[in-house]
Amino acid sequence: MTEFNEAQSTNDYLTGELISARQANDILVENNRRLERLLVKAIRDLQDAGRLLDALSNSVNDLTNLVTGPVVKR
C-alpha cells in the first residue's frame, strides 16, 4: 500500500495552480497590450475624424457664404 504524503500532495497541487495562474497572467498581459494598441489607434482615428469634420464644416460654411452672399445689382 502506498503511503499518502499530504505535504507533497499539497505542494504538487499548489505548483500546478501556480503554473496555471502564470499562464493565465501571460494571456491577460498580452491581451492588455493588444487592447492598448487598439485604443491608441482608435484615439488617432477619432482625432483624424475630428479634423475632417472641422474641414467639412469650414467647406460648408464657405459654400453657404458663397451661395447666400450679397447679390450684386447690375
Side-chain angles (χ1 to χ4, degrees):
M1 186 195 278
T2 326
E3 188 176 315
F4 178 71
N5 184 338
E6 185 176 0
Q8 184 61 46
S9 178
T10 301
N11 186 48
D12 292 344
Y13 171 78
L14 291 175
T15 301
E17 290 300 305
L18 178 61
I19 289 169
S20 294
R22 285 182 176 169
Q23 289 171 342
N25 186 58
D26 290 343
I27 291 169
L28 289 172
V29 167
E30 182 55 37
N31 285 343
N32 285 341
R33 285 187 190 123
R34 190 173 301 131
L35 281 173
E36 184 178 3
R37 286 190 301 269
L38 290 171
L39 281 172
V40 167
K41 183 183 180 318
I43 289 168
R44 286 184 188 138
D45 289 347
L46 287 170
Q47 290 169 336
D48 289 344
R51 284 190 286 276
L52 291 170
L53 284 172
D54 288 342
L56 178 62
S57 176
N58 290 336
S59 294
V60 168
N61 288 338
D62 290 345
L63 278 173
T64 301
N65 291 337
L66 182 66
V67 170
T68 61
V71 176
V72 177
K73 291 184 179 179
R74 294 183 186 196

